[in-house]
Amino acid sequence: MSKILACLDGSAVSAAVCDFAAWAGLALDAPLTLLHVLDQRRFPRPGQATPPLLVNREHLLTELAALDAQRGNLAEDQGRLLLDAAQLRVEEQQARCAGAVLQHGDLIGSLESLQEDFDLIVLGRQGEDSPPKRLIGRHLESAIRLLHRPLLVAGHLFVKPDGVLLAYDDSSSARKAVTWVANCRLFDGLACHLVTVGRDREERRVALARAADELRARGRTVTTAITDGDVELGLERYRKQHGLELVVMGAFGHSRLRHFFMGSNTRNMLEAAGSALIVVR
């Protein structure tokens, strides 16, 4: 049975994370687990405040430790309220919630330890601690690099997808993404647009046709296209022209998508995309 993990942090995108997780849970008939991680550096675990180290500052350090513990307690209470509200939201959409988990630590470390138990991880494009002008969260690029489960990255608004843009460059990760889309019930009933970026050449048409055949063999409705120009802008332009609310792509490729998730192109696509994005490793 498929299992879904939804990561929440209280930011404005948390509602969309809940809604995408609920949509995926219903499509896959899969239970959801809700996760909220309190950064241990910002919020010490209640009862585990750092003891004073200098005798001549013992009183001051004791008071500071008590304040840290109080902040940790308040953050934990707030986290539990967040999880309660999220559970109510997904259950109102008839999704099944298997549990809500509150952890102290680091988000990426928690995801690395939990990912083996889940088939899809849902997280927001921008977290609550992101600077106002930063359009993607500080954890997102790390998650894309370090996690090997498919990641569904939600924007600020949820729109139920009726079609998906599958970015394709015939790399191993792109072929893996095609196979995943072909076999995953999440895409049942969705129109698949298989799109590559580059000049219209015979080898690209052959590669697209081969990938399209795999999708059609599993009952997918497929449209293929080759678009030239800048990778992220070309994909986003095509997505808008066809009203697609979901993009799927492999994390690494061998053409101009090769460094797509290894620096500035990551931010460019995530910032330009007006849709949810699923990254397949």
Side-chain angles (χ1 to χ4, degrees):
M1 175 187 293
S2 298
K3 296 180 181 179
I4 299 169
L5 180 66
C7 307
L8 307 168
D9 67 355
S11 65
V13 77
S14 290
V17 170
C18 288
D19 294 344
F20 273 108
W23 166 73
L26 291 171
L28 296 172
D29 189 24
L32 314 178
T33 296
L34 307 174
L35 173 68
H36 179 58
V37 178
L38 293 174
D39 191 327
Q40 189 66 40
R41 294 167 298 180
R42 295 176 58 199
F43 305 110
R45 184 186 297 272
Q48 294 187 356
T50 304
L53 300 177
L54 302 176
V55 175
N56 61 339
R57 297 182 180 179
E58 181 175 351
H59 179 69
L60 175 60
L61 292 175
T62 299
E63 287 189 343
L64 290 174
L67 287 173
D68 281 343
Q70 184 179 22
R71 289 176 63 245
N73 278 315
L74 290 173
E76 186 169 308
D77 290 343
Q78 185 179 29
R80 295 192 187 283
L81 290 174
L82 169 67
L83 290 171
D84 288 344
Q87 182 168 348
L88 179 62
R89 186 180 184 99
V90 299
E91 289 178 344
E92 285 177 343
Q93 299 177 59
Q94 308 305 312
R96 289 184 290 138
C97 185
V101 179
L102 178 68
Q103 290 190 348
H104 290 258
D106 171 74
L107 175 61
I108 299 302
S110 295
L111 291 178
E112 284 188 288
S113 64
L114 292 171
Q115 65 176 325
E116 297 298 337
D117 296 327
F118 296 93
D119 302 284
L120 179 67
I121 298 172
V122 186
L123 68 168
R125 181 178 302 166
Q126 186 180 41
E128 64 177 343
D129 60 351
S130 299
K133 294 184 179 180
R134 184 178 174 90
L135 299 182
I136 60 172
R138 64 186 179 90
H139 293 298
L140 184 51
E141 288 183 80
S142 296
I144 291 170
R145 289 187 177 97
L146 297 175
L147 304 181
H148 58 261
R149 293 302 192 194
L151 300 177
L152 195 165
V153 183
H156 284 81
L157 296 175
F158 169 75
V159 179
K160 184 178 179 180
D162 56 13
V164 55
L165 188 160
L166 179 50
Y168 191 72
D169 69 350
D170 202 32
S171 64
S172 60
S173 64
R175 292 193 292 271
K176 182 176 180 180
V178 166
T179 298
W180 184 67
V181 170
N183 292 283
C184 182
R185 287 184 297 164
L186 187 64
F187 304 97
D188 288 356
L190 300 187
C192 293
H193 291 250
L194 191 64
V195 182
T196 194
V197 179
R199 293 183 179 179
D200 189 348
R201 294 175 177 171
E202 178 65 21
E203 62 268 25
R204 287 198 172 99
R205 291 195 295 270
V206 170
L208 278 178
R210 184 168 55 245
D213 287 344
E214 181 177 354
L215 291 165
R216 292 187 180 112
R218 302 298 296 177
R220 306 296 181 214
T221 301
V222 183
T223 299
T224 62
I226 299 175
T227 182
D228 202 356
D230 182 82
V231 172
E232 58 269 11
L233 296 181
L235 293 174
E236 179 64 5
R237 181 173 60 250
Y238 184 96
R239 184 198 70 78
K240 287 181 176 179
Q241 288 173 348
H242 293 83
L244 304 173
E245 298 298 337
L246 182 62
V247 176
V248 177
M249 66 187 312
F252 304 101
H254 60 61
S255 66
R256 282 186 294 172
L257 294 177
R258 179 175 181 82
H259 300 292
F260 194 75
F261 286 103
M262 297 299 290
S264 62
N265 282 333
T266 307
R267 292 184 291 273
N268 291 342
M269 181 59 184
L270 289 168
E271 292 175 1
S275 64
L277 178 70
I278 296 179
V279 181
V280 181
R281 289 292 301 272

